[in-house]
Amino acid sequence: MSQQQISYRKRIDRVVNYIYDHLDEPIDLQHLADVACMSPYHWHRVYRAIQGETIAATVKRLRLHRAAGQLAQSKISIEEIAERSGYCSLAAFTRAFTQVYGQPPAQYRRAGSHTRLQSAIERGEGQLFPVEIKTIEPMTLIGLPHQGDYMNIGRVFEPVFGWMGQAGLLPQMRHAMATYYDDPDSVPEADLRSFAGAVFAATVDVPDHFESRTIEGGRYAVLRYRGAYAEMSTAYRWLYGTWLNNSGVELRDAPCVEDYLNNPREVAPSELLTDIYMPLADE
């Protein structure tokens, strides 16, 4: 990657970090040109060319992703969530949310798949998700660490995918993965540790500030999850609470890994596919 490409990449990364830090505030798209230190005449074209979507689409996607998490996992009022998401009225927020998530916010909170799955877990229902035991070889994950709310891991996925796109490495990517080191039910949100990156089919040149982590080889229970990332915690509860208790297997001292099989920019949240890898001891 040329020095000019690296310069543009750093500018885009500054903008993405700014958006994450200011999701609760009005985001002036012209001000983002100042954050990127670029002319407002060219800023939007450069961003779209590098990121593959408009800046407005990025802001909307990240705000609605956070809103879905707040609806599924908190008791924050829908009116407050709408205001935090930058919508001037509840009606405008409801239209935007329904367009992306397929149902109005109130219905999503009351009867989304997270509530149906939790009820099924409480009733002790059996095979809610497909699970397959696999043995894999060690893999090298190249990317960036993240600390804080797991729902915000996209904050580091954005520069990882931006780098791959600019360097022409997307055809060589085998997996887009993240490793999660802490239990969000027992570790304070601010202290949660994770790592997001990609596994490649061949050796690639890595930017200086990127890191590599080894995903251990061995046996894993692999759960195939379909749906919004905001609702995935329910799948974890079923995997650990129901499937594990009935499986006769033992856990191994290694972190869980998620393998993201499609792109949230290209498919609806309900169609996102994720493989959750839970490490198992040898037989």
Side-chain angles (χ1 to χ4, degrees), residues 230-250:
E231 304 173 20
M232 202 184 304
S233 60
T234 310
Y236 273 94
R237 285 195 291 271
W238 178 83
L239 181 63
Y240 277 89
T242 301
W243 184 87
L244 183 62
N245 284 334
N246 297 310
S247 66
V249 300
E250 293 290 334

Side-chain angles (χ1 to χ4, degrees), residues 22 32 53 134 222 256 263:
H22 296 83
L32 294 181
E53 64 180 353
K134 296 181 179 180
V222 183
C256 282
N263 190 332

Side-chain angles (χ1 to χ4, degrees), residues 9-83:
R9 181 69 259 158
K10 288 181 177 178
R11 298 181 196 188
I12 296 297
D13 292 347
R14 280 204 305 269
V15 169
V16 171
N17 283 324
Y18 180 91
I19 293 170
Y20 270 98
D21 289 338
H22 296 83
L23 283 175
D24 281 344
E25 306 168 17
I27 295 180
D28 182 353
L29 300 188
Q30 292 301 108
H31 175 66
L32 294 181
D34 295 333
V35 174
C37 297
M38 291 181 60
S39 164
Y41 295 110
H42 310 296
W43 154 242
H44 293 95
R45 290 188 177 93
V46 171
Y47 184 92
R48 183 168 189 172
I50 292 177
Q51 292 294 94
E53 64 180 353
T54 66
I55 187 65
T58 298
V59 172
K60 178 181 178 181
R61 174 170 57 82
L62 295 181
R63 280 177 165 169
L64 291 180
H65 167 72
R66 187 185 65 170
Q70 291 171 335
L71 288 167
Q73 302 170 16
S74 79
K75 296 183 179 180
I76 300 173
S77 72
I78 296 176
E79 290 78 9
E80 184 176 349
I81 293 173
E83 184 177 353

